[in-house]
């Protein structure tokens, strides 16, 4: 592959775990086509794996270090060029480096970690104990830029327009005269994928839009209006509400819900694909999906399912079961990049600016069994929250906001009556990629207003609470 540089990422394992991924020493001796040594940046686990090979010592920390720390820079050249001393970095590790390999020196430390960043004296090898790739590390982006551009000599010449042209050409080449189907959810990713493919191959794309019974208020109608009436895409809309809800009856375990929804989706989708094939007299050979890079990372693990955080049904399932070749134009992109591409392709802001919505929909926002009644309550609560966010101009300031219905009843009072009804949780987070997130500091008055409306307007809810946990350690969805 002749890379310009190598980043050894962090990971969920400890280097001491059985079967933990180990680094082949050859990676540390690589040279580039001009004969210069290949630069390496090890992050957290990557640093530990690299340092061990080089003769350093890694040990479990007494206490797992998690959260913010101030970085004190001992050598500002190279990796830390322009990074302010004392800037915030995000730590998340159980093991740490306790002895440097020979020829390595410390280039930064924190109050808790005497070895927070290292550099080799011999080769362009660097390591950081903290996570520059998360937004909470203030100068993380600059640090990665310093490594990629300054140390590795890469250029930043990726543009949206060049991406769109390249992908359209690639799609045409791959697809030839064949037909493609795409599972449209109305979310940003599949919507942008649909329009990109439509531009590339026109009516040889057919989108299948399934009502899985766990969509938000008004969504089923809105999505059809946008894609069929506005974009004139070939759209097959299948209302399978009863099938999904019947199968979800009495199921509380979130992973089971995901599997049921995933399997039912495959069935419904398969049937729809067959119908399309009969109508067109030609079996679609390709399946396009709006899979993003974070879906890929969170759904795969180096070894077995142990570190799979959640089974995102849009990644697994469909391709294996349906025997299609898969087209995933955004597999290496993050959501903000896909939004940019959507804008370039002329998608309305209502779609590109839309908050992410999980494939298993409201089923993972009802803690406990999903019923038609609980869905009706949650839809109303969610709609009020979103409507108020839009009205107050706050919608675009958060990554995602939604309501969650808890299987907990508490006492309330309405008029002179005692009530015993459900708790509704409101969740709003800020994030750039959904991989880490912080709870959004929404104004008190706004939250008070939303709470009032929900508790007063919705029968079945007498209490609203606001979630103040960050990811990690919490996740965005409650499940
Ligand atoms: P978590 O809850 O894992 O969510 O912190 C991270 C982001 O992913 C979304 N999410 C999903 N998106 N299919 C999707 O397309 C899914 O199965 C799924 N599960 C979670 C979640 O809404 C958040 O934006």
């Amino acid at each position: 592959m002749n890379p310009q540089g190598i980043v050894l990422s962090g990971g969920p394992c400890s280097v001491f775990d059985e079967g933990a991924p180990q680094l082949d020493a050859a990676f540390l001796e690589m040279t580039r086509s001009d004969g210069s040594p290949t630069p390496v940046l090890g992050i957290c686990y990557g640093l530990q794996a690299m340092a061990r090979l080089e003769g350093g010592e890694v040990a479990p920390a007494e206490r797992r270090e998690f959260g913010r720390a101030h970085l004190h820079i001992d050598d500002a050249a190279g990796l830390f060029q322009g990074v302010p001393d004392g800037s915030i970095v995000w730590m998340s590790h159980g093991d740490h480096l306790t002895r440097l390999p020979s020829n390595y020196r410390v280039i930064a430390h924190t109050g808790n970690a005497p070895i927070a960043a290292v550099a080799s004296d011999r080769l362009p090898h660097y390591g950081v104990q903290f996570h520059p790739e998360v937004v909470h590390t203030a100068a993380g982006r600059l640090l990665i830029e310093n490594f990629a551009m300054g140390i590795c000599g890469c250029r930043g010449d990726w543009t949206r327009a060049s991406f769109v042209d390249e992908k359209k050409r690639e799609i045409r080449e791959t697809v030839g005269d064949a037909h493609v189907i795409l599972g449209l959810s109305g979310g940003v990713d599949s919507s942008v994928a649909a329009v990109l493919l439509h531009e590339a191959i026109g009516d040889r794309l057919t989108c299948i839009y399934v009502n899985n019974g766990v969509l938000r208020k008004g969504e089923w109608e809105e999505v059809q209006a946008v894609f069929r009436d506005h974009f004139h895409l070939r759209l097959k809309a299948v209302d399978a509400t009863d099938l999904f809800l019947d199968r979800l009856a009495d199921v509380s375990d979130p992973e089971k819900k995901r599997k049921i929804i995933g399997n039912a989706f495959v069935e419904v989708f398969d049937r729809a694909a067959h119908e399309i094939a009969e109508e067109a007299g030609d079996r679609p050979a390709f399946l396009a999906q709006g899979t993003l890079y974070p879906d890929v990372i969170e759904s795969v693990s180096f070894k077995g399912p142990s570190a799979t955080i959640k089974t995102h049904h849009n990644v697994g399932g469909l391709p294996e079961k349906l025997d299609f070749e898969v087209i995933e134009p955004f597999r290496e992109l993050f959501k903000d990049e896909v939004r940019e591409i959507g804008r370039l392709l002329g998608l309305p802001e209502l779609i590109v600016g839309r908050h992410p919505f999980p494939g298993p929909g409201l089923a993972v926002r009802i803690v406990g069994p999903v019923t038609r009644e609980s869905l009706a309550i949650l839809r109303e609560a969610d709609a009020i929250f979103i409507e108020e966010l839009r009205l107050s101009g706050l919608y675009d300031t958060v990554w995602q906001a939604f309501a969650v219905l808890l299987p907990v009843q508490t006492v309330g009072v309405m008029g002179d009556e005692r009530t015993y009804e459900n708790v509704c949780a409101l969740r709003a987070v800020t994030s750039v990629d959904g991989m880490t997130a912080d709870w959004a500091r929404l104004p008190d008055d706004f939250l008070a207003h939303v709470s009032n409306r929900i508790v007063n307007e919705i029968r079945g809810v007498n209490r609203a609470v606001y979630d103040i946990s960050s990811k990690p350690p919490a996740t965005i969805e409650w499940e």
Side-chain angles (χ1 to χ4, degrees):
M1 289 169 73
N2 192 23
Q4 285 286 103
I6 296 175
V7 178
L8 304 169
S9 76
C13 289
S14 157
V15 284
F16 302 110
D17 290 347
E18 199 179 313
Q22 301 299 338
L23 181 64
D24 188 326
F27 281 109
L28 303 179
E29 301 297 333
M30 275 172 61
T31 50
R32 308 194 288 186
S33 47
D34 63 2
S36 64
T38 308
V40 179
L41 171 65
I43 296 174
C44 194
Y45 182 92
L47 160 66
Q48 294 157 14
M50 172 166 105
R52 267 183 112 196
L53 266 184
E54 301 266 69
E57 201 171 82
V58 176
E62 257 170 50
R63 208 159 41 88
R64 211 184 134 70
E65 191 182 10
F66 178 81
R68 286 157 220 268
H70 291 274
L71 189 74
H72 299 292
I73 295 166
D74 303 307
D75 181 353
L79 205 56
F80 293 125
Q81 194 90 51
V83 175
D85 193 50
S87 75
I88 299 281
V89 294
W90 191 262
M91 291 283 191
S92 174
H93 60 106
D95 300 336
H96 60 177
L97 201 59
T98 48
R99 198 189 66 222
L100 286 181
S102 53
N103 295 323
Y104 271 69
R105 66 204 146 83
V106 173
I107 54 172
H109 64 275
T110 69
N112 241 345
I115 307 181
V118 301
S120 161
D121 289 325
R122 196 169 62 86
L123 291 163
H125 290 180
Y126 300 83
V128 290
Q129 186 56 71
F130 56 91
H131 289 268
E133 76 281 15
V134 303
V135 268
H136 308 293
T137 294
R141 201 188 162 98
L142 177 58
L143 189 153
I144 290 171
E145 200 174 301
N146 283 341
F147 179 72
M149 322 255 284
I151 295 166
C152 300
C154 297
R155 290 186 312 274
D157 50 10
W158 186 94
T159 66
R160 296 175 300 166
S162 65
F163 177 88
V164 166
D165 288 344
E166 194 184 309
K167 281 291 158 190
K168 283 206 281 198
R169 198 175 45 240
E170 216 178 277
I171 291 166
R172 284 192 203 106
E173 272 171 22
T174 313
V175 171
D177 294 333
H179 280 251
V180 179
I181 48 175
L182 177 144
L184 184 71
S185 70
V188 181
D189 319 333
S190 65
S191 299
V192 180
V195 175
L196 178 73
L197 270 116
H198 188 240
E199 283 208 359
I201 57 166
D203 275 354
R204 275 183 291 127
L205 171 74
T206 307
C207 297
I208 299 177
Y209 178 41
V210 176
N211 187 351
N212 57 9
V214 286
L215 300 177
R216 287 164 292 188
K217 190 179 175 185
E219 198 165 6
W220 173 239
E221 295 79 15
E222 271 167 30
V223 169
Q224 292 184 66
V226 170
F227 289 94
R228 188 178 283 142
D229 307 340
H230 178 75
F231 279 105
H232 307 294
L233 256 86
R234 288 172 64 143
L235 183 68
K236 187 171 181 72
V238 186
D239 188 353
T241 301
D242 291 341
L243 179 110
F244 281 86
L245 294 190
D246 289 351
R247 291 194 189 169
L248 282 169
D250 302 323
V251 179
S252 295
D253 176 20
E255 280 293 302
K256 277 202 188 117
K257 288 182 191 171
R258 281 176 174 276
K259 294 233 160 67
I260 289 171
I261 293 174
N263 290 336
F265 186 80
V266 171
E267 253 179 69
V268 173
F269 193 88
D270 191 31
R271 210 176 305 142
H274 274 105
E275 286 168 15
I276 291 169
E278 273 167 31
E279 286 157 24
D282 167 29
R283 187 183 174 283
F286 293 90
L287 171 74
Q289 302 198 117
T291 313
L292 304 188
Y293 191 55
D295 306 334
V296 177
I297 301 176
E298 292 203 342
S299 299
V300 295
S301 73
F302 164 76
K303 216 169 179 8
S306 56
T308 304
I309 299 168
K310 280 174 196 173
T311 44
H312 285 223
H313 90 260
N314 22 359
V315 178
L318 273 182
E320 294 99 79
K321 290 187 187 147
L322 293 185
D323 186 30
F324 283 113
E325 261 194 74
V326 176
I327 299 178
E328 289 174 326
F330 308 142
R331 208 182 153 77
E332 288 175 353
L333 300 191
F334 285 92
K335 196 152 221 119
D336 52 340
E337 293 167 324
V338 174
R339 285 204 165 107
E340 291 288 293
I341 286 161
R343 290 192 182 101
L344 188 79
L345 292 171
L347 270 101
E349 200 52 38
L350 192 74
I351 300 258
V352 278
R354 206 167 196 187
H355 293 168
F357 185 59
L362 299 181
V364 292
R365 294 181 179 171
I366 292 174
V367 181
V370 177
T371 61
R372 284 178 164 76
E373 295 70 41
S374 56
L375 278 166
I377 293 175
L378 181 58
R379 278 197 182 108
E380 291 305 320
D382 193 69
I384 290 175
F385 191 23
I386 298 300
E387 179 184 63
E388 291 296 338
L389 281 165
R390 286 200 190 276
L391 285 174
S392 56
L394 290 166
Y395 185 86
D396 292 330
T397 67
V398 299
W399 161 265
Q400 202 171 8
F402 53 88
V404 180
L405 191 64
L406 305 188
V408 177
Q409 291 188 309
T410 69
V411 173
V413 55
M414 195 163 265
D416 288 337
E417 299 257 322
R418 177 185 190 275
T419 59
Y420 195 56
E421 294 177 336
N422 282 89
V423 180
C424 168
L426 301 174
R427 176 90 161 130
V429 296
T430 53
S431 175
V432 285
D433 54 20
M435 297 189 57
T436 59
D438 201 2
W439 59 279
R441 273 47 171 191
L442 295 177
D444 296 356
D445 291 351
F446 170 81
L447 287 171
H449 178 61
V450 173
S451 160
N452 251 330
R453 274 199 65 191
I454 288 178
V455 173
N456 284 312
E457 292 176 29
I458 303 175
R459 279 186 81 111
V461 175
N462 64 358
R463 194 179 294 272
V465 295
Y466 188 57
D467 182 350
I468 54 169
S469 354
S470 63
K471 172 186 179 177
T475 54
I476 296 176
E477 302 290 345
W478 280 47
E479 311 250 339

